[in-house]
Amino acid sequence: MDVRAIFMGLAFAFMWSSAFTSARMIVADAPPLTALALRFFASGLIGIAIAAALGQTARLTRSQWRATIIFGLCQNALYLGFNFVAMQWVEASLAAIVASTMPLLVALAGWAIFKERLRPLGYAGLLAGMVGVGIIMGHRISDGVDLVGLLFCGIGVLALAFATLSVRTASSGGNLLMIVGLQMLVGASLLAVAAVALETWDVNWTPRLGLAFAYTTLVPGLLATWVWFLLVARIGAVRAAAFHFLNPFFGVAIAALFLGESLTLWDVAGVVIIAGGILAVQMSRAVRA
């Protein structure tokens, strides 16, 4: 892995993790599904415009179209939709921790469903990850965390794990930025239907809302997704996914810094154990690959 790939991975992990804090700010002043649909609509149009200026086209292969639609549905509509709704009731740090378990779920599904064998380090990582999640969830539930919000975060991360399986297909064949823009519009379309059916337009216009919306649209929404596809194309999905072990650290640190969310020793211990489990699983898969 070269220095450029390392910087890309660090940048992606930071941007991806920061989305939970900016989302928490947005849902404090605007209906979550409406805000998310508008975010994806804006991100999608910007991405497509830049891609067209760079000479990219929407002439995608059949497998690229399929992966783009699946990714737009599962990551943008389901994963982020459930998380935006959940963050009306749960803290950004908890949402980030739940979402960061995605690599563990992917590895667990590979072992349980597809009969993929792991090295001992991988099995130890899975066990450590489950222990870390148990520590944090046990502590948060005893403190009265909203169970519906926690359930929504869980549904979202399952959708994200499924979406991850389509990344390799979507990132092959070029037109990466065009694919990013198109999948944003897929998510925007589905979320707009849900927003019209379930929400009313009730917005508290504040400077924080404007800044958080702009940041979420441009940085986690567009730039992070594009960097992720470039990283996967550069070093492969398995090695790229290793950077997810940083997400629990970045997620809780950014939420504590900008939202003042408190952390207990149980949270810190759980985050360290989960991060170690993710790293162990990805190192095991990388060696195997």
Side-chain angles (χ1 to χ4, degrees):
M1 189 181 301
D2 56 30
V3 175
R4 183 175 180 182
I6 292 173
F7 277 110
M8 289 170 63
L10 292 173
F12 164 76
F14 182 85
M15 291 186 289
W16 189 89
S17 302
S18 69
F20 299 94
T21 293
S22 58
R24 178 79 166 168
M25 294 178 180
I26 290 171
V27 301
D29 294 314
L33 298 179
T34 301
L36 190 57
L38 291 173
R39 165 200 157 176
F40 281 134
F41 181 70
S43 296
L45 291 182
I46 294 171
I48 289 173
I50 296 175
L54 294 174
Q56 298 183 19
T57 70
R59 297 191 185 96
L60 309 181
T61 65
R62 181 177 298 179
S63 61
Q64 282 183 317
W65 274 116
R66 181 173 61 251
T68 299
I69 293 172
I70 293 174
F71 206 81
L73 167 65
C74 294
Q75 173 174 288
N76 297 341
L78 295 178
Y79 159 63
L80 285 172
F82 274 107
N83 269 274
F84 261 61
V85 173
M87 274 187 284
Q88 296 175 109
W89 313 305
V90 302
E91 293 185 333
S93 57
L94 179 60
I97 291 169
V98 174
S100 69
T101 62
M102 181 273 294
L104 298 174
L105 293 176
V106 171
L108 183 61
W111 170 71
I113 300 174
F114 302 107
K115 308 303 180 184
E116 295 180 357
R117 298 184 63 182
L118 296 173
R119 291 177 177 270
L121 179 63
Y123 290 113
L126 284 176
L127 180 60
M130 289 186 286
V131 169
V133 170
I135 290 174
I136 293 174
M137 295 309 157
H139 169 67
R140 293 291 183 112
I141 290 173
S142 67
D143 278 356
V145 69
D146 188 279
L147 295 181
V148 174
L150 184 59
L151 175 63
F152 280 9
C153 289
I155 295 173
V157 74
L158 289 175
L160 178 62
F162 181 78
T164 302
L165 301 177
S166 69
V167 170
R168 183 187 297 273
T169 303
S171 63
S172 61
N175 293 321
L176 291 182
L177 191 52
M178 180 64 72
I179 290 172
V180 171
L182 290 172
Q183 72 179 16
M184 298 290 180
L185 294 187
V186 171
S189 301
L190 297 170
L191 288 165
V193 174
V196 170
L198 301 173
E199 295 179 341
T200 58
W201 182 264
D202 184 15
V203 180
N204 180 29
W205 298 101
T206 63
R208 186 181 73 166
L209 173 61
L211 291 173
F213 185 86
Y215 176 83
T216 305
T217 299
L218 297 175
V219 182
L222 184 61
L223 185 58
T225 308
W226 183 43
V227 170
W228 170 251
F229 279 145
L230 291 175
L231 184 64
V232 169
R234 188 177 186 86
I235 64 176
V238 172
R239 289 187 176 182
F243 286 98
H244 278 288
F245 92 94
L246 294 169
N247 292 333
F249 292 111
F250 284 150
V252 299
I254 294 170
L257 179 63
F258 289 96
L259 298 176
E261 294 185 2
S262 60
L263 293 175
T264 67
L265 290 177
W266 291 108
D267 294 323
V268 174
V271 164
V272 171
I273 295 171
I274 291 172
I278 294 171
L279 183 60
V281 167
Q282 296 304 329
M283 288 177 62
S284 173
R285 295 177 67 196
V287 170
R288 184 172 180 267

